[in-house]
Every structure is written in structure tokens, then in C-alpha cells.
């Protein structure tokens, strides 16, 4: 491959097909593409102001910087870019290059001799210190240092470059003509543009120092802010391998390779690239120059810390702990408190399975406060937690740290959802989506492909799904899939969100076989969530013993890892198993434990759901009055911030308690209570209809039919009975309907 590049693109650092280690010792060398750019600059200087309009000149000036800094591209692509800016100038450039390539070697010699005239005169066309002036001077200097044989190779490469460009132009014209005949010109042109973009870098040969730095910074920025516009993982890795072939000690290329391998979850290649990055960083002495004698040790300890974070990301906790111990040892020797604080934070993450993890957390918080680093809280009220985040936000806004601002808003969205305040969570998510920091940050790149943006959109989709707006949730997920393709690093967020929404819809619709098939996908993305959903499906299918065993194992695991939210959810499922098995007295202690945890951690949503289960247990035990008074405490937050399904369950339970409480009342008061219960049942039915929960609708219309029968309303009773029969025939029947327990 070295000989091929040598024949097409002359590299002064290459002799006898061997590349010197210091390939970037010379910043620029002459290539056929750069000769074409020089022709463009020369034609722009020769063209008068009247021949080119102001808008065309402005577009040409905007085009120059990426042409000067970017990698070499094909001649046909260069013609196309110039033609989009100024068609007249594109024709002149094409004629000049054709005359030079089809002429003689002396034509190229004369062209470079004439370039020096651009700096002559009292008012030169180009200033020596300008961007264009520096480029011209570099090219003139590089060309003047070439020997005759090297000049001949360069001219031969220019002829080959021109012939390939002419051939590509003819092919493009034929394809465009064919696409017009087929009536699919737009589609064909888009496919052509993509293929050209893939060829831009791959055909360019070895890059100069400026081109390599621009290419790496551009791709790193795209991976961070807008991954969809970056090269595909395979194409990017191919270019990085080509770049490292000419300069194996280019540390930044190894780091970009590390980021690229993370996109495809390649643990071996990402570890290999990360180690090579720090090795080359130490060998080049870059750290020592900027940090004095501490540079060498600093690279070592942060290399170990990054390696620990990498292993932790892939779930290799034992290897991560070994790397973290090495980072702690080196940091202690260097007395680097900031590095030690980062190590302590990762030590807490790795030690979550141990009983002393909260001791590490408290120590981490104290150290973070001392060194001014981010702080952590657990079990705090919303106002205290938001006050703490506000202090951090003040610093973020003061220093215009847009990325940290986005992360903070995404955290607030997740925190409000954790607290059960869906309205506030929705407000925070909408705030992030309308942030000014999400405007164009560089060359059309949008800073809305970050993890915080994906998290906010996932919360938005789940919030819409909870309110029964499945069409809106589907649109949000569709947008997520476009922004974060399946091979992107944040795609797992929307994949899990999509699977959970589909699972909930299948459960509401009574399609347990479909829900069971979705458990596998959820487990692959989140094992704890997958096991919990599997238990829910088993419980719905009336497989109580299997569900109980699974829930008990999950409960032990979550209690050991202090996964409080999942612990409460598991406790509620266990309690439901007990009262489904006609053991409501056994369910009460479990529900009280779940309520205590919900109150301790201020989880309003789970606390309200626990109160509903407690009220239902009291109803089963024959004390509906106490159940009704308990419901009055929980009904307000449920109707204000709860999901539509929870609202329907709450109103259904209120109606049951009203009917049970009116059993011993006078006939007139009993009739009024039954009428009020029917109104609540209508409201519950509307809620269940929003989420297409047919099983709950079946129970509601059955209950309504019985109440109408008691009140002597035959027509309404028959209508509800007919609807019940239709639903009962369509839905599978598992276990005893809850209505029969009254």
C-alpha cells in the first residue's frame, strides 16, 4: 500500500516505500488535489469583482476553509462544490486543470512560478499572513524543495488525478440521465452523494499534519454532538488505520479509535486503542511539556483510571477494580487529590454489591465538597436536592458550560419522575428540547445527539405513553431512532424505552404471549428490569409459584445492591400475589414495608400505588370505611401526576369502597351511593379506554351491570352486560376476577 500511495501522492517523508516515524515533520506537501485548490485560488484572484456576484464570492469564501483544512477529495467532487458556489468559476478551473494535465511538465512549472506574483505589488491579491497566504507559501516552499524526479512523479499523479476525475464526471452524468428516465432522480442523487462522501477520505492518501488534526477534531466533535453525521464505524476505523500506518505514534488517532470502538461495543479493540493512546502520549513527551515532571505520572494514573472506567462500562468489575487499585496507588504517590476523588467515586460504583458501599459514598461526598467537585445525595427531599443542583447550575451558566447544563436538566427530569411528579418532569424535558444550546454549534452540527438529549426524549416518550398518547410516544421514538441509529452508543436508551412501552401495551391489552416475547429484549438491555417483567407476566398468567420464586430472588438481589425503587416494585408484586391467593393478612406487612421505603425516599408515585394496595387489602378484609378514608389521602397526587392506568384503578377502587360502605345504609342513601359509584366507574372506564386496558374495562362494565340491576335500570344493565360478554369472549381468562371478591 505504501508504494501505491507513493506513486499517486508524493510524500517527502517516504523513501524507498518506507515511511519515517516523523511523518508529520513537514506540515504540508504538494498533491494533485492541492494543485487544483491552488488553481481555484489563482482564478479567484484573476476574476474581477464585477464578474462574480457578492453572494457567489461569499459562498466561495465559506468553501475555502474546509477545502484548505480537509482531506483530499476527488476532482469531480471538487468541481461539484465549486459549481454550487459559482458555476462560472467552476468552468474556468476545469479548463485550467485540463490544459495543465494535457499539456507538458513545463506548464506546471510555469504555474508555480506565477503563484509568487500573488504577493507582489503595493496592493497584493493575497496577504502573506492570511490563511490563504500561508497555504500558498507552504505549497510554493514544498514544491521548490522537490527534486526533478519528484516533480515528474507529481505531474504524473496530476494527470492520473485529472483522468479519474473526468471518468467520474462522465459516470455521474450517465447516472443522472438514467435517474431522470426512471423518475427517481432525487433518490439516486442522494445515494450518489453518500457514495462520494465515503470516497472523499479513502482516496486521499496520506494526510498532512493539518489535515490529520482537522479530520480527527471534526470526527471527534461529530461523535460527541451528532454521531449520525460522522463516518460509519467501519469507514472511520479504516481511515484511522491508514493514518496510523503512516504515523503509529499519533496519540490522538489512537484515542479516536478508542471512541470509535466504543460505538460498536468492541471491548478488545477499545482497550487496545486506549492503552496505545497513553503509551504514545508518554513517548511523545506531550504531557511532560505541559505539566513538567508530573506529566509522566499523570498520564499513568489517568490511564489506569480510564481503563477502570472502560472495564466498568462493559461489566468487567474484577478487571476494573484491579485497574482502579493501580490508579489509587499512583495518585497517592503523586498526592493528586482530584484523581483520588474520581477513584473514590468509581470505587463506590464498583462496591455497590458490598454492604459498606454507603460508607464510601459518604466519604466521597465529604471529599467532593472539600475539593469543589460534584456532590451526591440520597433520600433527600425535592427542595433540598433541587437547591443543591441549583448551586451547580449557577456555575454552569456563569461559565457557559452548555453540555453540563443539558446534563443537569436531564438529571432534573429523571429526578422529578423518580419523585412521581410527571408535570415537572415534562416541563424539564421540554425545557431541554428548546434550549438555545441545542442550536448549531459547528458546521451544521447539532448538539442534540448527546446522551442528555436521548434521556430527555425517552422520558418524554414514556410520559406520553403513561397518559395514553401512544401516537405521540411513537413519534418521539421515531425521532429517537433517526437521531440515534441502532449502531450508535446511546441507542440502548430508546431501545429499552420502546420495549417497555410495547410490554405495557401488550399487558394492558391482555396479550400475555406478546408481552412474554418482549421480556427477552428487555433482559438483554437491563437484566433487573427483564426479570421483574418476567415475574409480572407469570403472575398475569396465574403461575403464582413460579412468579413468587422469581420475585424473591430479585428482592434479595435488589436489597443487596440497594436498588430501592425496584425493591418497592417487587414488594408490591409480592403483596399482589398474596391477596390473589386469598391471603390479604400476609400482604399487609409487605405493603407497610413498601410504604415505609416510599416515604423515606420521597417516592410519591410508589407511595400512592402502595396506598391503593393497602386500601384494597382493607376492602378485602371487610373494612371499606377505613379503605375509603385511606383513598382520600392518595387520590389527589394520583389524579394530579399519576399515569392514566393508575387513575383508572384509583377511581375503580373508590367505586368499590363506596358500594361496600353503602351495604348497611338506608335505601335512599344506598341508592345515592350507588349512583355516585356509577359516575366514578364511568370515569374509570374512560381512563382505561385511553390506554386500551380491556381487562379492566371488562371488570368495570360487569360491576356497572350489577349496580344498574340493583337500581332497577334494565336498559343500562343490558347494555353493560352485552359489552361485558363481548370483552369476556375476546380476552383470555386467568384466575378469579377481583370483582367476585366483594
Amino acid at each position: 500500500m505504501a508504494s501505491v500511495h507513493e506513486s499517486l501522492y508524493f510524500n517527502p517523508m517516504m523513501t524507498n516505500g518506507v515511511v519515517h516515524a516523523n511523518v508529520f515533520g513537514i506540515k504540508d506537501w504538494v498533491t494533485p488535489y492541492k494543485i487544483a485548490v491552488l488553481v481555484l485560488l489563482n482564478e479567484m484572484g484573476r476574476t474581477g469583482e464585477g464578474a462574480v456576484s457578492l453572494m457567489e464570492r461569499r459562498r466561495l469564501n465559506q468553501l475555502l476553509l474546509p477545502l484548505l483544512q480537509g482531506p483530499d477529495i476527488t476532482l469531480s467532487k471538487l468541481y461539484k462544490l465549486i459549481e454550487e458556489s459559482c458555476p462560472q468559476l467552476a468552468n474556468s478551473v476545469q479548463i485550467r486543470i485540463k490544459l495543465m494535465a494535457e499539456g507538458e511538465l513545463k506548464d506546471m512549472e510555469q504555474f508555480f512560478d506565477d503563484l509568487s506574483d500573488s504577493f507582489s505589488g503595493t496592493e497584493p491579491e493575497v496577504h502573506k499572513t492570511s490563511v490563504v497566504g500561508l497555504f500558498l507559501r507552504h505549497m510554493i516552499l514544498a514544491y521548490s524543495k522537490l527534486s526533478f524526479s519528484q516533480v515528474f512523479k507529481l505531474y504524473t499523479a496530476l494527470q492520473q488525478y485529472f483522468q479519474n476525475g473526468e471518468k467520474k464526471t462522465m459516470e455521474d452524468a450517465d447516472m443522472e440521465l438514467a435517474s431522470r428516465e426512471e423518475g427517481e432522480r432525487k433518490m439516486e442523487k442522494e445515494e450518489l452523494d453518500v457514495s462520494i462522501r465515503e470516497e472523499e477520505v479513502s482516496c486521499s492518501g496520506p494526510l498532512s499534519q493539518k489535515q490529520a488534526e482537522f479530520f480527527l477534531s471534526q470526527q471527534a466533535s461529530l461523535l460527541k454532538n451528532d454521531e449520525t453525521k460522522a463516518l460509519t464505524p467501519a469507514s472511520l476505523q479504516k481511515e484511522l488505520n491508514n493514518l496510523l500506518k503512516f504515523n503509529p505514534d499519533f496519540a490522538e488517532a489512537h484515542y479516536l479509535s478508542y471512541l470509535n470502538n466504543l460505538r460498536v461495543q468492541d471491548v478488545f479493540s477499545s482497550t487496545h486503542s486506549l492503552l496505545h493512546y497513553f503509551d504514545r502520549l508518554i513517548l511523545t513527551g506531550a504531557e511532560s511539556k505541559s505539566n513538567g515532571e508530573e506529566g509522566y505520572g499523570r498520564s499513568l494514573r489517568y490511564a489506569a483510571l480510564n481503563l477502570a472506567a472502560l472495564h466498568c462500562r462493559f461489566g468487567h468489575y474484577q478487571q476494573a477494580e484491579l485497574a482502579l487499585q493501580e490508579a489509587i496507588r499512583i495518585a497517592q504517590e503523586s498526592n493528586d487529590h482530584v484523581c483520588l476523588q474520581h477513584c473514590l467515586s468509581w470505587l463506590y460504583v464498583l462496591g455497590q454489591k458490598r454492604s459498606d458501599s454507603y460508607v464510601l459514598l459518604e466519604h466521597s461526598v465529604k471529599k467532593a465538597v472539600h475539593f469543589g467537585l460534584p456532590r451526591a445525595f440520597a433520600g433527600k427531599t425535592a427542595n433540598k436536592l433541587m437547591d443543591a443542583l441549583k448551586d451547580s447550575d449557577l456555575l454552569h451558566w456563569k461559565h457557559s458550560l452548555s453540555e453540563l447544563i443539558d446534563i443537569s436538566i436531564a438529571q432534573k427530569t429523571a429526578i422529578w419522575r423518580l419523585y412521581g411528579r410527571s408535570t415537572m418532569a415534562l416541563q424539564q424535558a421540554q425545557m431541554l428540547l428548546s434550549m438555545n444550546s441545542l442550536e448549531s454549534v459547528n458546521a451544521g452540527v447539532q448538539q442534540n445527539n448527546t446522551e442528555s438529549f436521548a434521556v430527555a426524549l425517552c422520558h418524554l416518550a414514556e410520559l406520553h405513553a403513561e397518559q395514553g398518547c401512544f401516537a405521540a410516544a411513537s413519534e418521539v421514538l421515531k425521532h429517537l431512532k433517526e437521531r440515534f441509529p441502532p449502531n450508535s452508543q446511546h441507542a440502548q436508551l430508546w431501545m429499552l424505552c420502546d420495549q417497555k412501552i410495547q410490554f405495557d401495551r401488550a399487558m394492558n391489552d391482555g396479550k400475555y404471549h406478546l408481552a412474554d416475547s418482549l421480556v427477552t429484549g428487555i433482559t438483554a438491555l437491563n437484566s433487573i428490569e427483564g426479570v421483574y417483567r418476567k415475574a409480572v407476566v407469570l403472575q398475569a398468567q396465574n403461575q403464582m409459584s413460579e412468579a413468587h420464586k422469581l420475585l424473591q430472588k430479585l428482592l434479595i438481589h435488589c436489597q443487596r445492591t440497594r436498588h430501592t425503587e425496584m425493591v418497592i416494585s417487587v414488594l408490591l408484586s409480592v403483596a399482589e400475589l398474596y391477596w390473589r391467593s386469598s391471603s390479604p393478612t400476609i400482604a399487609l406487612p409487605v405493603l407497610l414495608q413498601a410504604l415505609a421505603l416510599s416515604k423515606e425516599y420521597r417516592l410519591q408515585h410508589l407511595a400512592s400505588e402502595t396506598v391503593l394496595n393497602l386500601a384494597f387489602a382493607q376492602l378485602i378484609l371487610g373494612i371499606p370505611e377505613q379503605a375509603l378514608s385511606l383513598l382520600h389521602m392518595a387520590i389527589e397526587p394520583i389524579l394530579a401526576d399519576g399515569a392514566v392506568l393508575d387513575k383508572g384503578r384509583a377511581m375503580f377502587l373508590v367505586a368499590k369502597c363506596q358500594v361496600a360502605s353503602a351495604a348497611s345504609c338506608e335505601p335512599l342513601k344506598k341508592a345515592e351511593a350507588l349512583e355516585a359509584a356509577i359516575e366514578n366507574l364511568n370515569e374509570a372506564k374512560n381512563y382505561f379506554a385511553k390506554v386500551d386496558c380491556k381487562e379492566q374495562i371488562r371488570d368495570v362494565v360487569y360491576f356497572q351491570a350489577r349496580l344498574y340491576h340493583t337500581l332497577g335500570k334494565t336498559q343500562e344493565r343490558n347494555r353493560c352486560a352485552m359489552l361485558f360478554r363481548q370483552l369476556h369472549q375476546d380476552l383470555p381468562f386467568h384466575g378469579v376476577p377481583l370483582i367476585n371478591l366483594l
Side-chain angles (χ1 to χ4, degrees), residues 397-416:
W397 285 103
K398 181 179 179 180
H399 299 286
S400 300
L401 303 175
S402 59
E403 184 179 358
L404 294 179
I405 293 171
D406 297 344
I407 293 174
S408 177
I409 296 177
Q411 287 177 339
K412 290 178 183 178
T413 305
I415 290 170
W416 282 122

Side-chain angles (χ1 to χ4, degrees), residues 221-237:
S221 177
L222 289 173
L223 289 181
K224 177 183 176 183
N225 298 318
D226 200 350
E227 190 176 344
T228 57
K229 293 185 179 180
L231 291 178
T232 61
S235 301
L236 180 56
Q237 193 61 42

Side-chain angles (χ1 to χ4, degrees), residues 79-105:
Y79 286 157
K80 181 181 177 182
L81 293 175
I82 301 174
E83 188 176 3
E84 290 174 355
S85 302
C86 182
Q88 177 184 353
L89 195 61
N91 187 41
S92 301
V93 171
Q94 188 173 5
I95 293 174
R96 285 285 301 276
I97 295 176
K98 182 178 181 180
L99 291 174
M100 189 185 305
E102 293 181 348
E104 298 178 356
L105 180 59

